[in-house]
Amino acid sequence: MIRRHESEELRRLRRAHASMPAQARAAFDRHRFEDKPYEVIAAELGIGVPEVERRVADAMCHLMQACDEPEPGAAARFGAWLRAAFGRVWRR
């Protein structure tokens, strides 16, 4: 559900999260929302740690493209913004 007071950027981010490939979303959600380390995620999903890293990176790229953040340093700022935005608004 999209709330009226949310910024357009957060609405885009939510839509991008919803449209993310299921495998990338599964790894991303466990890492970002449940604070699980890659080793635990790998065991839960039955994959290797490098594959978890790839899926989380794919998820981040998917979200960054949705938010149109191409300049240098965007990934670090985006990660901090993502933690703040989702932690404040979308914490499970």
Side-chain angles (χ1 to χ4, degrees):
M1 181 173 115
I2 298 176
R3 299 174 184 99
R4 284 181 184 228
H5 67 278
E6 290 177 342
S7 71
E8 180 58 33
E9 188 173 16
L10 185 54
R11 285 192 290 270
R12 279 197 313 266
L13 187 60
R14 286 177 182 269
R15 285 192 299 269
H17 181 265
S19 69
M20 189 182 297
Q23 292 179 332
R25 189 172 51 244
F28 177 83
D29 288 356
R30 284 173 170 84
H31 181 62
R32 289 292 181 174
F33 302 137
E34 299 173 20
D35 296 322
K36 292 182 179 179
Y38 287 165
E39 294 79 11
V40 171
I41 298 168
E44 288 179 359
L45 298 178
I47 58 177
V49 171
E51 180 64 14
V52 173
E53 292 171 343
R54 188 191 66 75
R55 290 180 186 186
V56 171
D58 286 349
M60 291 295 292
C61 287
H62 182 84
L63 295 174
M64 287 179 70
Q65 288 172 350
C67 290
D68 215 16
E69 290 279 347
E71 74 269 4
R77 287 192 313 280
F78 183 77
W81 180 86
L82 186 66
R83 283 188 297 279
F86 277 107
R88 186 175 62 247
V89 178
W90 211 15
R91 189 56 118 176
R92 292 178 188 221

